């Protein structure tokens, strides 16, 4: 990244303070940051803090560009490899979509011939308003890149989409944008990944679950997103943070996981790594089971839906490539091949869990089983397995 130059437009919104953290990340990576602060932006962060962090002059006024250290707005708009707008307010998006040029930020956006990355932040009703959504579609159609907004609690007390993406996520999007489309062969492709365990309640306080950490699935979601895919990660409970630029849907039971997967369709590829409980209690008690005179209760179990088999047979909605995982301790290839046929998926990643430390660990030994053949991959970190699988997915889809 060192030597790259970014023009950062800071719009007016409570989230503007996060732009300072973004500057810190960019500067740490050796990126030169030239800031433009809008009049509204200056209500939230001071030119002094921006100037100190950027170690550059802060540009604020369209008609003050003639002082000796200044440059014309055309020159300014081209003085970087990329333009980042964070936070991109509804107003800045509307101006850019309409081609308005009534202040320095909007004039720069109209004049630039560089790629533009916007990180929107606004009240959720403003974000969901048809006008903003139309502006978003217009800007996307013109090639403007977007990161976020996130969903969550907002400064105005409401909850929903509209929060500025976290600075590390914007930073990641910035690096991807600089790398250009060649580094993101999965741009425009949708991926669905499941990860983690499921949790099947017995009563309000007891449950059936397993030891899956979710690490392999999270690494795969991250690797696919890094290559440009639009990734939905349907995750059971794990202690892991959502990977950058991945849409995470958190679920508990197998039934919820299936519903979330179906809601995420259509997808070009589905990679199902979740350790879905095979059985759930036939009924969930509404009240906590008490130790009575009747002795230990007998749990009646019923099968959960098989998400891999269901998606593999989803007819017109079937993802083009469906990848399942199989944890095996013996007869790895034969067992995995039988599973491939039984579930109707395209590939199985057969996980050798006979060695201690794979479950919950950071390394994995896997075999890729397809209808055509089998390959065994050397022991590698889960991140490396994910990267390798993502590359194979590119070969299959692109
Ligand atoms: N899977 C699923 N839904 C289930 C069960 C499993 O989607 N209800 C998926 C898992 O995400 C994984 C694959 O199916 O991709 C694993 O299949 P499964 O039959 O559960 O494998 P094992 O646990 O290895 O089963 P077995 O006991 O048959 O070895």
């Amino acid at each position: 990244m060192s030597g790259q130059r970014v023009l950062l437009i800071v719009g007016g919104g409570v989230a503007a303070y996060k732009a300072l953290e973004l500057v810190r990340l960019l500067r740490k990576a050796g990126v030169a940051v030239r800031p433009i602060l809008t009049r509204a932006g200056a209500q939230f962060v001071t030119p002094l803090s921006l100037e100190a962090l950027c170690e550059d002059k802060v540009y604020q006024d369209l008609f003050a560009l003639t002082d000796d250290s200044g440059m014309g707005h055309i020159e300014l708009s081209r003085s970087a490899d990329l333009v980042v707008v964070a936070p991109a307010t509804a107003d800045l998006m509307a101006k850019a979509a309409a081609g308005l040029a009534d202040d320095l930020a909007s004039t720069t956006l109209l004049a630039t011939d560089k790629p533009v990355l916007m990180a929107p932040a606004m009240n959720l009703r403003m974000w969901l308003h048809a006008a903003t959504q139309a502006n978003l579609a217009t800007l996307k159609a013109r090639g403007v890149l977007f990161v976020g907004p996130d969903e969550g609690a907002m400064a105005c007390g409401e909850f929903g989409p509209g929060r500025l993406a976290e600075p590390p996520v914007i930073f990641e999007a910035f690096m991807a944008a600089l790398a250009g489309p060649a580094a993101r062969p999965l741009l425009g492709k949708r991926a669905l990944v499941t990860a983690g365990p499921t949790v099947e309640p017995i009563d309000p306080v007891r449950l059936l679950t397993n030891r899956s950490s979710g690490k392999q699935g999270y690494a795969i979601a991250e690797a696919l997103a890094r290559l440009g895919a639009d990734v939905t990660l349907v995750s059971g409970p794990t202690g892991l943070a959502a990977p950058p630029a991945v849409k995470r849907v958190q679920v508990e039971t197998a039934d919820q996981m299936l519903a979330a997967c179906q809601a995420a369709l259509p997808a070009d590829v589905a990679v199902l790594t979740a350790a879905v409980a095979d059985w759930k209690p036939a009924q969930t008690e509404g009240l906590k089971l008490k130790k009575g005179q009747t002795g230990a209760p007998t749990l009646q179990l019923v099968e959960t839906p098989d998400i891999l088999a269901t998606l593999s047979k989803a007819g017109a909605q079937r993802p083009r490539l469906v990848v399942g995982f199989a944890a095996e301790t013996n007869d790895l290839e034969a067992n995995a091949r039988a599973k491939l046929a039984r579930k109707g998926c395209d590939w199985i990643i057969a996980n050798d869990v006979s060695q201690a430390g794979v479950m919950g660990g950071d390394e994995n030994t896997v075999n890729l089983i397809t209808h055509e053949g089998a390959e065994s991959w050397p022991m590698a970190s889960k991140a490396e397995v994910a990267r390798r699988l993502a590359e194979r997915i590119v070969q299959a889809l692109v």
Side-chain angles (χ1 to χ4, degrees):
M1 283 301 111
S2 195
Q4 304 282 3
R5 298 160 311 158
V6 60
L7 189 64
L8 174 67
I9 298 178
V10 180
V14 181
Y17 74 93
K18 289 193 191 168
L20 299 176
E21 173 66 7
L22 176 63
V23 172
R24 209 185 55 75
L25 293 174
L26 290 163
R27 295 292 298 133
K28 210 168 119 194
V31 178
V33 187
R34 177 159 285 159
I36 291 181
L37 185 59
T38 67
R39 191 186 299 263
Q43 300 290 323
F44 295 91
V45 292
T46 67
L48 191 61
S49 14
L50 258 183
E51 198 155 306
L53 284 170
C54 295
E55 298 170 82
D56 198 351
K57 178 183 161 68
V58 176
Y59 293 84
Q60 286 182 275
D61 193 353
L62 184 57
F63 300 107
L65 291 178
T66 45
D67 64 44
D68 34 336
S69 62
M71 52 175 83
H73 59 269
I74 304 289
E75 205 184 333
L76 185 62
S77 73
R78 305 206 173 150
S79 66
D81 302 294
L82 189 84
V83 181
V84 175
V85 190
T89 58
D91 180 62
L92 272 171
M93 284 176 63
K95 280 181 174 156
L100 288 181
D102 63 350
D103 62 7
L104 183 58
S106 53
T107 306
T108 305
L109 285 169
L110 194 60
T112 191
D113 58 354
K114 299 293 190 266
V116 176
L117 170 68
M118 288 193 168
M122 64 197 73
N123 166 272
L124 79 143
R125 281 174 222 295
M126 292 168 75
W127 173 251
L128 295 174
H129 195 286
T132 305
Q133 290 301 307
N135 292 334
L136 174 70
T138 302
L139 292 167
K140 274 190 173 174
R142 289 189 198 137
V144 174
L145 303 165
F146 281 86
V147 51
D150 287 351
E151 196 170 296
M154 319 208 65
C156 51
E158 292 185 277
F159 186 94
R163 282 167 60 101
L164 184 71
E166 290 304 322
V169 178
I170 302 176
F171 179 72
E172 188 85 27
F174 159 81
M175 291 204 294
L178 270 188
R184 288 176 297 147
L186 293 180
L187 263 184
K189 299 275 188 283
R190 290 167 59 99
L192 165 66
V193 179
T194 67
T198 64
V199 163
E200 310 296 334
I202 297 169
D203 69 14
V205 296
R206 301 182 179 94
L207 40 90
L208 287 179
T209 188
N210 60 66
R211 289 185 192 278
S212 167
S213 68
K215 284 180 182 170
Q216 186 63 80
Y218 274 58
I220 292 168
E222 183 165 354
L224 291 170
R226 210 180 275 273
L227 294 179
D230 180 357
V231 182
T232 301
L233 171 63
V234 179
S235 174
T238 69
L240 304 173
V246 162
K247 181 178 172 221
R248 178 169 65 169
V249 181
Q250 289 178 283
V251 297
E252 297 212 324
T253 65
D255 290 297
Q256 290 168 358
M257 187 171 271
L258 175 62
C261 287
Q262 286 171 325
L265 296 178
D268 297 282
V269 56
V271 185
L272 305 187
T273 74
V276 184
D278 289 315
W279 301 282
K280 63 177 178 179
Q283 64 186 60
T284 301
E285 301 299 333
L287 297 175
K288 185 183 167 195
L289 289 170
K290 303 295 275 181
K291 288 196 290 285
Q293 289 100 356
T294 47
T298 304
L299 267 187
Q300 273 288 345
L301 299 177
V302 292
E303 265 186 36
T304 55
D306 191 317
I307 301 166
L308 179 57
T310 309
L311 294 192
S312 296
K313 293 166 192 155
Q317 288 275 64
R318 185 194 196 276
R320 252 170 74 200
L321 183 64
V322 182
V323 185
F325 268 65
E328 306 290 350
T329 51
N330 55 302
D331 298 326
L332 193 111
E333 189 177 337
N335 281 336
R337 212 161 266 298
K339 209 162 279 177
L340 192 70
R342 198 168 65 240
K343 306 250 186 178
C345 57
D346 303 299
W347 299 351
I348 287 272
I349 301 287
N351 210 342
D352 182 355
V353 291
S354 59
Q355 293 147 21
V358 168
M359 297 287 279
D362 292 318
E363 297 212 308
N364 221 349
T365 309
V366 303
N367 292 256
L368 171 64
I369 317 285
T370 69
H371 291 287
E372 289 75 41
E375 286 171 27
S376 86
W377 293 357
M379 168 83 121
S381 69
K382 289 183 177 175
E384 176 59 23
V385 168
R387 205 189 51 71
R388 205 166 168 151
L389 176 62
E391 267 171 21
R392 295 300 293 260
I393 290 171
V394 171
Q395 286 168 14
L397 292 186
V398 179

